[in-house]
Short mmCIF file of all heavy atoms in Angstrom, two decimals:
data_model
loop_
_atom_site.label_atom_id
_atom_site.label_comp_id
_atom_site.label_asym_id
_atom_site.label_seq_id
_atom_site.Cartn_x
_atom_site.Cartn_y
_atom_site.Cartn_z
N GLY A 230 101.44 95.75 114.68
CA GLY A 230 102.15 96.37 115.84
C GLY A 230 103.21 95.36 116.35
O GLY A 230 103.76 94.61 115.62
N ALA A 231 103.33 95.40 117.69
CA ALA A 231 104.34 94.54 118.32
C ALA A 231 103.81 94.15 119.68
O ALA A 231 103.03 94.86 120.35
CB ALA A 231 105.64 95.24 118.43
N ARG A 232 104.29 92.99 120.08
CA ARG A 232 104.04 92.48 121.39
C ARG A 232 105.32 92.70 122.21
O ARG A 232 106.38 92.33 121.69
CB ARG A 232 103.80 91.02 121.25
CG ARG A 232 103.07 90.28 122.31
CD ARG A 232 103.06 88.81 121.83
NE ARG A 232 101.73 88.46 121.33
CZ ARG A 232 100.83 87.85 122.12
NH1 ARG A 232 101.05 87.47 123.35
NH2 ARG A 232 99.64 87.54 121.59
N VAL A 233 105.23 93.29 123.36
CA VAL A 233 106.44 93.58 124.17
C VAL A 233 106.25 93.13 125.58
O VAL A 233 105.21 93.30 126.14
CB VAL A 233 106.76 95.11 124.17
CG1 VAL A 233 108.09 95.37 124.86
CG2 VAL A 233 106.82 95.65 122.72
N LYS A 234 107.32 92.48 126.14
CA LYS A 234 107.24 91.97 127.49
C LYS A 234 107.82 92.98 128.50
O LYS A 234 108.95 93.48 128.35
CB LYS A 234 108.13 90.71 127.59
CG LYS A 234 107.39 89.48 127.21
CD LYS A 234 108.28 88.25 127.49
CE LYS A 234 108.03 87.19 126.42
NZ LYS A 234 109.12 86.20 126.29
N PHE A 235 107.01 93.24 129.54
CA PHE A 235 107.46 94.04 130.64
C PHE A 235 107.58 93.10 131.86
O PHE A 235 106.57 92.69 132.44
CB PHE A 235 106.43 95.14 131.02
CG PHE A 235 106.42 96.32 130.11
CD1 PHE A 235 106.08 96.23 128.75
CD2 PHE A 235 106.75 97.64 130.62
CE1 PHE A 235 106.05 97.38 127.90
CE2 PHE A 235 106.73 98.72 129.80
CZ PHE A 235 106.38 98.61 128.47
N PRO A 236 108.83 92.73 132.27
CA PRO A 236 108.99 91.89 133.40
C PRO A 236 108.47 92.51 134.72
O PRO A 236 108.64 93.74 134.90
CB PRO A 236 110.50 91.67 133.53
CG PRO A 236 111.05 92.07 132.21
CD PRO A 236 110.12 93.15 131.69
N VAL A 237 107.79 91.67 135.53
CA VAL A 237 107.25 92.25 136.77
C VAL A 237 108.38 92.26 137.83
O VAL A 237 109.02 91.23 138.04
CB VAL A 237 106.05 91.41 137.26
CG1 VAL A 237 105.48 91.99 138.52
CG2 VAL A 237 105.01 91.29 136.19
N ALA A 238 108.56 93.40 138.49
CA ALA A 238 109.62 93.48 139.54
C ALA A 238 109.25 92.60 140.72
O ALA A 238 108.08 92.48 141.10
CB ALA A 238 109.75 94.94 139.96
N LYS A 239 110.27 92.00 141.27
CA LYS A 239 110.04 91.11 142.45
C LYS A 239 109.16 89.93 142.23
O LYS A 239 108.53 89.46 143.15
CB LYS A 239 109.59 91.93 143.66
CG LYS A 239 110.50 93.07 144.04
CD LYS A 239 109.98 93.81 145.25
CE LYS A 239 110.82 95.01 145.53
NZ LYS A 239 110.15 96.00 146.34
N MET A 240 108.97 89.55 140.96
CA MET A 240 108.21 88.29 140.73
C MET A 240 108.98 87.59 139.62
O MET A 240 108.75 87.80 138.45
CB MET A 240 106.80 88.60 140.27
CG MET A 240 105.88 88.88 141.40
SD MET A 240 104.18 89.29 140.87
CE MET A 240 103.53 87.65 140.54
N GLU A 241 109.90 86.75 140.04
CA GLU A 241 110.76 86.05 139.14
C GLU A 241 110.01 85.32 138.01
O GLU A 241 109.06 84.60 138.28
CB GLU A 241 111.55 85.02 139.95
CG GLU A 241 112.81 84.51 139.25
CD GLU A 241 113.79 85.67 138.93
OE1 GLU A 241 113.86 86.63 139.67
OE2 GLU A 241 114.49 85.55 137.93
N GLY A 242 110.39 85.54 136.80
CA GLY A 242 109.80 84.81 135.66
C GLY A 242 108.42 85.32 135.17
O GLY A 242 107.91 84.84 134.21
N LYS A 243 107.90 86.29 135.86
CA LYS A 243 106.60 86.81 135.44
C LYS A 243 106.77 88.10 134.64
O LYS A 243 107.58 88.91 134.97
CB LYS A 243 105.71 87.17 136.68
CG LYS A 243 105.34 85.95 137.48
CD LYS A 243 104.21 85.20 136.86
CE LYS A 243 103.97 83.87 137.66
NZ LYS A 243 103.12 82.96 136.87
N ALA A 244 106.04 88.18 133.59
CA ALA A 244 106.10 89.37 132.78
C ALA A 244 104.72 89.68 132.21
O ALA A 244 103.84 88.79 132.08
CB ALA A 244 107.09 89.15 131.57
#
Side-chain angles (χ1 to χ4, degrees):
Chain A
R232 200 182 256 262
V233 185
K234 275 186 214 159
F235 282 65
V237 181
K239 300 182 189 162
M240 280 180 78
E241 200 59 31
K243 293 283 172 193

